[in-house]
Amino acid sequence: MGVDPAIKMRKTIQQQLPALRTQSLQLRALAQEVAALPPVAPVTQVLSREELERSLLESGLRAEQATFNNGIFKLNFSDVAFSTLTDYLQEMQRGQQLTVIEATMTARDRIDRVDAKLSLQRPS
């Protein structure tokens, strides 16, 4: 009869409904996770050596030597606060997407003081 296809379709939909509900719940959970993520900081223009030195000074750091060659910043510090340096590196990673590709640190006699040689680069 003409009602048989509708009845078959209803049975099929009833069988698929639990899986569709589960998928719907998973999508909602994923959407909530995405909404809770912190916003991604936009990448600013290419950072110059002068801008890097200015950002260091604003963070209370002064590099003894700062060079820029082939997309790599090399910085040398003497007797700087380790905590200030790590805070600065985190900010550079978030704001400028600079990552540490090489680091050498030597502890000083005082707590939280280090000598450091760093190489920073934006991922290609």
Side-chain angles (χ1 to χ4, degrees):
M1 292 197 181
V3 182
D4 286 339
I7 292 173
K8 287 181 183 178
M9 180 59 77
R10 182 175 180 202
K11 286 182 182 179
T12 302
I13 291 173
Q14 284 177 334
Q15 290 171 348
Q16 294 174 348
L17 193 57
L20 292 172
R21 284 185 178 143
T22 301
Q23 289 175 356
S24 174
L25 289 173
Q26 290 172 340
L27 285 173
R28 285 182 190 157
L30 287 173
Q32 288 176 344
E33 284 181 38
V34 169
L37 291 173
V40 177
V43 178
T44 59
Q45 64 190 31
V46 176
L47 188 66
S48 70
R49 181 174 166 240
E50 292 78 19
E51 291 168 324
L52 181 74
E53 288 176 346
R54 187 176 338 108
S55 70
L56 285 167
L57 289 174
E58 289 171 358
S59 295
L61 296 168
R62 187 180 151 279
E64 289 185 338
Q65 183 179 12
T67 59
F68 180 67
N69 192 11
N70 294 326
I72 298 174
F73 288 102
K74 292 192 178 210
L75 306 169
N76 292 341
F77 298 93
S78 179
D79 196 20
V80 296
F82 178 74
S83 56
T84 303
L85 185 58
T86 55
D87 288 346
Y88 175 77
L89 292 174
Q90 285 180 341
E91 182 58 37
M92 285 290 97
Q93 184 176 16
R94 277 190 295 256
Q96 296 294 328
Q97 294 186 349
L98 288 175
T99 57
V100 176
I101 58 171
E102 188 176 347
T104 304
M105 294 194 192
T106 306
R108 302 286 289 210
D109 291 338
R110 297 181 326 191
I111 293 176
D112 195 39
R113 304 301 289 187
V114 295
D115 295 336
K117 292 182 180 183
L118 304 170
S119 297
L120 308 173
Q121 181 180 35
R122 268 199 186 133
S124 356

